[in-house]
Amino acid sequence: MSGARRRLSYLLLCTSGGVIFQVAYIRFVFLEPTYHALGLTAQEYGDIMSVFGAVAAVMYFAGGWFADRFAPRTLVVAALAITGVADLSLTVSPGYATVLLAHIAMAFAGMALYWPALVKAIGSFGPTEQQGRLFGFLEAIRGVTSTVISGVGALLVGTLLAPTAGVLTLIAIYGGLCLGLAGLIWFALRGQAGEAPAGERSALSVRQLLAAARNKYTWLLGGSIMLMYCFYTTLGYFSPLLQHNFGVTAGLIGVLGVVRSYVFQFVAGPLGGFGVDKVTHSTPRFLRLAFVGATLCVAVLLFLPGAPALQWAALTLMFVLSLMVFASRGVYWASITEARIPAGQRGGVIGLASGLAYLPDAFLPGLVAWWIGDPSTNTAPHGGYGALFGVLTAAGLIGIALTSLTLWVQRREPAAEPQPRTPALA
């Protein structure tokens, strides 16, 4: 493969990472316009998101099986094609059954086919000493791609079109991009990433999972990440709060959603890495500080009166919370290396801890929708945002305790030779 084609292939793969998951997680930017455009209630959309999260959690484990048997190019192209068709189906025939089936297809394509294949394909572009840069630029290009296209979406939804028409147009754009990238990658990605894997195994055995279940760090680290992920997966529900309780205009909501969800992705992540390497010298210690900051933010929001005069206070708290969440998201898998887990158990610990870490996606969207009801009609019969912020405050306090326990356990273990830090991909 020539140098120019290698660079083009790498760029196309990274760009696809900023497109393929966007419709599945569009609620992070356009929550209310999306469920209205798809002909759903807030509760129906939340329930479908929980189904998506549950299927995705199972597919994380299935992904290794596919990655062991098929070429990365085949899996990436198939995942993009399936996702593109699923996206476009939402614009042609919106409704509960279509949205549910489309999100199940997205979960299968994204987690079982795409993500393990993407990791293998990106890794094939350079030797060991270049892996950090390869995966670092992957995150950066994903973030830039997501920001640019979501910025266009904010323009469509907020100004040029009616919100529902804007969302459907944006979903169609994402679907078209997925199909277009599938074709380009099929022709560009030939060579090493286009060959079926030989020798290397990604699928986890039952023995590995049982060994991981007996490892204390599976639960300490997986539990800590799960609690921080509770903050991450509920960030999209701040948009209705800001619009209906604090008077932020509908046009500005989309822009704020893009900044909160994507700009912070490539700004806060490196800051988290710098904080761990230069300030705390420990990922659990950094996460504990992030939990303290996140908990203070939601505790203040729990008692902050919903009034337009306090709009900037609410916005400031949301951005500080986003900073804590995305700084943590950029480093929390580094805990695996710091924990001195034996190399033979590391794959099992990562696999089982991943299933635990992303478990909130399987229940929080539906639960939050049940709590807050329909903010546009000011009906919240099951606790509203008070319930959400109360639960997040409790999650933050447990996170502080769990990271403190992790530090205590690490201090009691005998010292070992430091291991090179592997790039965080989640």
Side-chain angles (χ1 to χ4, degrees):
M1 184 184 291
S2 67
R5 191 153 69 86
R6 285 176 64 84
R7 288 189 290 272
L8 174 63
S9 299
Y10 176 78
L11 180 62
L12 288 171
L13 283 170
C14 294
T15 302
S16 73
V19 174
I20 190 170
F21 296 111
Q22 294 311 304
V23 173
Y25 292 100
I26 197 171
R27 72 180 190 274
F28 281 73
V29 181
F30 307 109
L31 178 61
E32 283 190 85
T34 298
Y35 65 73
H36 287 149
L38 297 177
L40 305 175
T41 65
Q43 185 64 63
E44 288 174 335
Y45 187 56
D47 291 341
I48 289 174
M49 290 301 98
S50 291
V51 172
F52 168 85
V55 174
V58 175
M59 291 301 107
Y60 274 116
F61 295 101
W65 187 90
F66 287 99
D68 287 341
R69 288 161 175 79
F70 300 96
R73 180 180 69 154
T74 301
L75 294 176
V76 168
V77 169
L80 285 166
I82 292 170
T83 303
V85 172
D87 292 349
L88 293 176
S89 71
L90 298 177
T91 66
V92 174
S93 179
Y96 187 88
T98 301
V99 177
L100 176 61
L101 293 174
H103 280 81
I104 291 173
M106 290 178 208
F108 169 74
M111 305 335 175
L113 303 184
Y114 178 81
W115 186 251
L118 179 71
V119 172
K120 283 197 171 186
I122 294 295
S124 72
F125 280 92
T128 302
E129 59 269 18
Q130 294 181 9
Q131 295 299 297
R133 277 171 287 172
L134 288 171
F135 284 104
F137 278 107
L138 166 66
E139 277 301 302
I141 295 171
R142 286 178 68 200
V144 170
T145 303
S146 301
T147 301
V148 171
I149 301 176
S150 295
V152 173
L155 185 64
L156 290 173
V157 175
T159 56
L160 299 183
L161 299 172
T164 54
V167 166
L168 292 176
T169 301
L170 181 60
I171 291 174
I173 291 173
Y174 280 127
L177 286 172
C178 283
L179 293 175
L181 284 166
L184 291 172
I185 289 172
W186 178 256
F187 288 106
L189 195 64
R190 294 190 298 271
Q192 185 175 349
E195 300 168 358
E200 183 182 352
R201 310 300 291 175
S202 300
L204 295 175
S205 67
V206 175
R207 180 177 297 179
Q208 284 177 299
L209 291 175
L210 290 175
R214 294 191 295 267
N215 191 306
K216 56 185 174 293
Y217 285 113
T218 299
W219 309 103
L220 290 171
L221 303 181
S224 299
I225 297 169
M226 179 189 71
L227 292 164
M228 184 57 75
Y229 197 78
C230 289
F231 289 90
Y232 169 74
T233 199
T234 54
L235 282 175
Y237 293 92
F238 279 68
S239 295
L241 174 73
L242 293 173
Q243 181 176 352
H244 300 295
N245 291 40
F246 292 96
V248 177
T249 63
L252 187 57
I253 285 294
V255 176
L256 292 174
V258 172
V259 173
R260 179 187 62 221
S261 300
Y262 301 121
V263 173
F264 275 96
Q265 180 181 6
F266 60 84
V267 172
L271 291 177
F274 178 85
V276 170
D277 290 341
K278 303 296 184 182
V279 181
T280 66
H281 306 290
S282 165
T283 302
R285 188 174 289 115
F286 179 85
L287 289 176
R288 182 169 63 181
L289 293 175
F291 272 120
V292 170
T295 304
L296 289 174
C297 288
V298 293
V300 173
L301 284 167
L302 179 61
F303 296 103
L304 188 69
L310 297 173
Q311 179 182 113
W312 291 106
L315 288 172
T316 300
L317 289 168
M318 182 194 72
F319 284 134
V320 173
L321 176 62
S322 298
L323 178 64
M324 298 296 105
V325 168
F326 281 97
S328 301
R329 190 169 177 255
V331 302
Y332 48 43
W333 286 111
S335 304
I336 297 292
T337 302
E338 294 178 8
R340 302 190 290 271
I341 298 167
Q345 295 184 23
R346 199 168 297 163
V349 170
I350 292 173
L352 192 55
S354 296
L356 178 64
Y358 302 123
L359 191 59
D361 265 343
F363 65 89
L364 265 183
L367 188 57
V368 174
W370 185 74
W371 282 336
I372 67 176
D374 187 352
S376 64
T377 60
N378 199 28
T379 56
H382 303 112
Y385 280 96
L388 172 60
F389 293 138
V391 168
L392 289 179
T393 300
L397 293 173
I398 298 172
I400 293 169
L402 208 54
T403 49
S404 298
L405 178 60
T406 303
L407 288 168
W408 180 80
V409 168
Q410 288 180 340
R411 283 195 297 266
R412 289 174 60 87
E413 290 189 335
E417 290 295 320
Q419 309 230 7
R421 178 167 295 163
T422 54
L425 303 181

